[in-house]
Amino acid sequence: MNEHDKPGHKATTRLLRAGRPHRGWVNTPVTRASTYIFDSVQQWRDTRSRRDQERLVSYGARGTDSTHALEDALVELEGGYRAKAYPTGQAAIATVLLAYLKSGDHVLITDAVYEPVRRFCSEHLARLGIEYSYYLPDGSDLAARLRPNTRMIYAECPGSLAYEMMDLPAVAGLARAHDCWLAVDNTWGSGLLYRPLALGADISIIAATKYLGGHADVMMGVAVTNERAWAPLERATVDFGQTVGADDAYLVLRGMRSMPARMAVHGRSAMRVADWLQSRPEVARVLCPALPGDPSHALWRRDCHGTNGLLSIEFAPGIEDADVERVIDAFKLFGLGASWGGFESLAVPAYMLRARSVADWTGRGAVLRLHIGLEDPEDLIADLEQALAALRR
Ligand SMILES: *Cc1c(COP(=O)(O)O)cnc(C)c1O
């Protein structure tokens, strides 16, 4: 586990205590609230004049004790200045893009981006006159793709589906030199395994629906920023009316308490399953930066603090998407469903030719994304073994 850069207790201990009430209850009680009653016009006016800069209670949409407790824990987790929560990860991404970009600006988006972001760009950034283009998942072509009007580099590290990494400190240096923002989708690392702000990013986004919630029962996205990036995000979040309910804030905060323990099991079981998969003739390679031999392994060793439950199988030549779909239909334990980061194991086909527009996937194998949950890994291996038999039928 990573030891954050503050003195005192270790990171896991600090995460358990962040956002706790000042006295009494171990976890923050749920504060469901819209209207806050002020004592006087003087207090009301004073609060309204300060609430854009300071964290004050003034109206439910701007924050309650529940969302403030969650914010404290997120700031601890990511090592940031302040944080905001959104109803989904996608909403967090959309708000971040619109908070910092205006008509005439250009944003560089990683080719390894969470796929629904592509449609947000083509439908909405385009409509608003914001230019966007994609760069290679390892960031090697970034410097050449910067334009005079590039105002943001949007990264996802490791990337979706194939988990490609980029040298984030180097990308942060480029962003600073070009005076543009660096935003990173950190759902893979979720603040435990990877900490973009410490590596030079301005904004870190996490789909809390995944490991923070951890139980497949809550939707949420969060964005944590450094001090210089805070004001534009705070304003846009308020102006777009983005907020989360107290019950959901409570669920995510509760999930975060056990996230280090869950993540350790996800990572250990994923490595056990990866070992087994790598011995199989149907498998060309297992995509995961924690595996020696993965193209991102050196960066993973340098910048990450462990791995999670995600693995993608790249199948051997001759195995087509339709064959992968038969494997999925044969699973008994792995479920077919969106998302990951909950306690259960999931499998979805990854259509890489569609999911990448700059990186070239022609000539590579069909891909199946697995999320290794908290089941006994030997049961998962047995399920994989019987499902892979579908390839021979
Ligand atoms: C799931 C996911 C999202 C979106 O989160 P939702 O809460 O499902 O909207 C964003 N980024 C990444 C990398 C994801 O895996």
Side-chain angles (χ1 to χ4, degrees), residues 73-356:
L74 292 168
V75 165
E76 178 66 50
L77 179 70
E78 285 274 40
Y81 173 66
R82 295 279 306 269
K84 278 285 184 193
Y86 304 83
T88 62
Q90 178 78 2
I93 295 166
T95 307
V96 164
L97 290 170
L98 295 181
Y100 299 96
L101 298 169
K102 62 180 189 316
S103 177
D105 288 348
H106 170 244
V107 54
L108 275 163
I109 310 253
T110 174
D111 201 36
V113 72
Y114 172 67
E115 229 180 320
V117 175
R118 288 181 186 266
R119 200 175 81 186
F120 182 80
C121 294
S122 63
E123 294 271 325
H124 302 288
L125 294 190
R127 175 172 62 79
L128 296 168
I130 298 164
E131 295 170 28
Y132 63 93
S133 53
Y134 295 94
Y135 64 90
L136 285 169
D138 68 1
S140 58
D141 56 347
L142 257 175
R145 288 182 187 273
L146 283 167
R147 301 178 189 173
N149 59 337
T150 304
R151 296 265 49 89
M152 178 185 279
I153 297 172
Y154 182 92
E156 186 179 321
C157 187
S160 277
L161 306 175
Y163 321 114
E164 307 94 329
M165 291 190 69
M166 64 184 78
D167 185 341
L168 204 68
V171 171
L174 260 181
R176 279 301 147 90
H178 200 75
D179 194 24
C180 69
W181 302 105
L182 174 59
V184 182
D185 184 328
N186 189 31
T187 303
W188 187 96
S190 282
L192 282 183
L193 309 178
Y194 196 62
R195 300 183 89 219
L197 299 178
L199 298 174
D202 299 296
I203 305 121
S204 181
I205 301 164
I206 302 176
T209 309
K210 309 273 168 56
Y211 284 117
L212 273 61
H215 296 76
D217 55 2
V218 61
M219 303 287 313
M220 193 179 293
V222 305
V224 188
T225 79
N226 58 20
E227 190 166 358
R228 93 187 171 104
W230 175 247
L233 186 68
E234 145 82 11
R235 292 183 79 87
T237 302
V238 170
D239 294 342
F240 288 122
Q242 294 282 7
T243 191
V244 299
D247 296 285
D248 289 348
Y250 176 85
L251 279 177
V252 170
L253 184 57
R254 186 167 81 158
M256 287 172 71
R257 307 302 188 194
S258 62
M259 183 167 66
R262 285 185 283 110
M263 196 71 93
V265 179
H266 284 294
R268 201 164 58 230
S269 295
M271 289 300 97
R272 168 77 187 99
V273 173
D275 268 354
W276 182 85
L277 283 169
Q278 284 176 324
S279 71
R280 296 289 306 199
E282 306 91 333
V283 176
R285 59 184 68 78
V286 179
L287 308 176
C288 171
L291 296 171
D294 187 277
S296 296
H297 189 63
L299 281 173
W300 176 84
R301 287 185 71 102
R302 191 190 74 185
D303 292 341
C304 293
H305 313 275
T307 195
N308 60 21
L310 288 172
L311 300 172
S312 290
I313 300 174
E314 182 180 344
F315 283 97
I319 296 173
E320 310 288 337
D321 286 342
D323 302 316
V324 174
E325 290 165 10
R326 279 190 292 126
V327 171
I328 292 174
D329 280 335
F331 278 130
K332 297 194 165 80
L333 264 180
F334 283 89
L336 168 61
S339 202
W340 39 268
F343 52 81
E344 74 294 352
S345 289
L346 299 172
V348 286
Y351 302 108
M352 297 306 293
L353 289 170
R354 194 186 71 193
R356 298 287 182 272

